[in-house]
Amino acid sequence: FATSFQILLQTALNLRTRTKNPTELEGEVFREKEALDEMDGARKKMALRDSSSLRLLLAFLFWNEETMAQMLEILRDYPIKDVTLPRLHNRLCFTGLASFALGKKNGTESYLKLGQNCLSHFEHLTKYGSVNAKPVYLFMLAMKGPGTKTFKKAIDACAEANMPHLEAMARERYASFLREEGLVAFANEYITSSYWLYQDWGVHAKALQLSQQHDFLEHAKRDGGISKIGSTT
């Protein structure tokens, strides 16, 4: 279990502090390549699954398409089952989101199929009343079929379920969609709200990335309707 905790802690550090490449687990707590080189067999396979799952989360969050593709190639052959449900659902959540993101952009059928498998898993859980599965399911639907209706349903579900991390990501992805549609002013509003939610979540490295990408955030004011859970501002 020591390796699992090291992977989690290094991920948390990548989220909170500035690093050269936040999608790599190469830091003071865990160095992925070095650690995996010392393992073999089932232990290495499980460690690679865990590190790749969290690197996929980081790649989707920091929007690194190259790393998303690399992690999907590693994870695609792992079964949709795990004795630890939180670990399974985190893996399937970001596998689905990243698969639809890349599949829609590149028209890659294998990614879309992988995304659909993950979507079906969360659809099943949602039908049986899982309040945690519904926001993930709706966010995946929005990534599969981007539009104002799908994204707003996802954003509302994330907010209702008190999931600022997913709400922030959904708002940022919706902003990207709006920008592509030429609706820059509306896109900036959603970027601003996602920025404050990232601050609430405590992922200061991501908030910093947004502030560096969007100069208008320097003078941004918080909307009173945005969640203030764990706000650091």
Side-chain angles (χ1 to χ4, degrees), residues 113-131:
K113 183 178 179 180
L114 180 59
Q116 187 61 46
N117 289 339
C118 297
L119 179 66
S120 297
H121 177 82
F122 287 100
E123 180 182 22
H124 175 79
L125 293 176
T126 300
K127 285 182 177 179
Y128 279 88
S130 172
V131 295

Side-chain angles (χ1 to χ4, degrees), residues 199-210:
Q199 292 279 22
D200 290 347
W201 183 20
V203 288
H204 307 307
K206 175 60 185 182
L208 175 63
Q209 182 195 53
L210 278 187

Side-chain angles (χ1 to χ4, degrees), residues 2-59:
T3 299
S4 296
F5 285 120
Q6 289 171 343
I7 293 171
L8 285 167
L9 182 53
Q10 187 59 57
T11 300
L13 288 172
N14 284 21
L15 291 169
R16 292 182 63 84
T17 60
R18 183 186 303 187
T19 59
K20 184 177 181 180
N21 186 345
T23 68
E24 293 183 353
L25 296 179
E26 299 291 340
E28 57 187 276
V29 175
F30 181 75
R31 296 184 180 277
E32 183 184 39
K33 186 179 185 306
E34 182 180 308
L36 291 175
D37 284 346
E38 296 176 355
M39 302 178 190
D40 54 24
R43 184 186 175 206
K44 183 173 184 176
K45 185 176 182 179
M46 289 188 291
L48 179 62
R49 174 202 60 198
D50 294 348
S51 63
S52 298
S53 297
L54 289 170
R55 287 189 65 195
L56 183 57
L57 180 161
L58 293 169

Side-chain angles (χ1 to χ4, degrees), residues 3-219:
T3 299
S4 296
F5 285 120
Q6 289 171 343
I7 293 171
L8 285 167
L9 182 53
Q10 187 59 57
T11 300
L13 288 172
N14 284 21
L15 291 169
R16 292 182 63 84
T17 60
R18 183 186 303 187
T19 59
K20 184 177 181 180
N21 186 345
T23 68
E24 293 183 353
L25 296 179
E26 299 291 340
E28 57 187 276
V29 175
F30 181 75
R31 296 184 180 277
E32 183 184 39
K33 186 179 185 306
E34 182 180 308
L36 291 175
D37 284 346
E38 296 176 355
M39 302 178 190
D40 54 24
R43 184 186 175 206
K44 183 173 184 176
K45 185 176 182 179
M46 289 188 291
L48 179 62
R49 174 202 60 198
D50 294 348
S51 63
S52 298
S53 297
L54 289 170
R55 287 189 65 195
L56 183 57
L57 180 161
L58 293 169
F60 184 82
L61 174 67
F62 289 99
W63 205 252
N64 185 320
E65 294 181 9
E66 180 180 359
T67 302
M68 276 194 270
Q70 291 171 352
M71 296 306 104
L72 288 175
E73 289 303 313
I74 292 171
L75 293 168
R76 69 190 315 150
D77 293 327
Y78 283 89
I80 302 182
K81 60 181 181 180
D82 196 317
V83 294
T84 306
L85 287 179
R87 181 171 60 194
L88 172 66
H89 290 163
N90 178 76
R91 170 162 59 92
L92 297 185
C93 171
F94 289 99
T95 296
L97 293 172
S99 293
F100 283 128
L102 297 184
K104 292 292 291 184
K105 179 177 181 179
N106 304 324
T108 307
E109 194 63 33
S110 60
Y111 285 150
L112 294 175
K113 183 178 179 180
L114 180 59
Q116 187 61 46
N117 289 339
C118 297
L119 179 66
S120 297
H121 177 82
F122 287 100
E123 180 182 22
H124 175 79
L125 293 176
T126 300
K127 285 182 177 179
Y128 279 88
S130 172
V131 295
N132 292 327
K134 183 179 178 181
V136 178
Y137 171 60
L138 291 175
F139 192 4
M140 279 193 201
L141 281 179
M143 295 301 296
K144 179 183 180 182
T148 293
K149 184 177 179 179
T150 54
F151 269 116
K152 285 193 171 182
K153 285 180 69 174
I155 290 167
D156 289 345
C158 292
E160 184 179 349
N162 201 18
M163 294 182 174
H165 59 306
L166 284 183
E167 184 185 351
M169 286 183 261
R171 284 176 175 274
E172 186 183 3
R173 290 301 100 218
Y174 183 38
S176 178
F177 168 79
L178 290 171
R179 193 173 294 277
E180 290 175 359
E181 295 293 304
L183 301 171
V184 177
F186 288 114
N188 289 351
E189 289 182 14
Y190 277 89
I191 285 292
T192 301
S193 60
S194 68
Y195 169 80
W196 291 115
L197 284 166
Y198 285 132
Q199 292 279 22
D200 290 347
W201 183 20
V203 288
H204 307 307
K206 175 60 185 182
L208 175 63
Q209 182 195 53
L210 278 187
S211 68
Q212 292 173 334
Q213 293 172 338
H214 305 284
D215 293 340
F216 63 84
L217 287 175
E218 182 180 353
H219 305 291

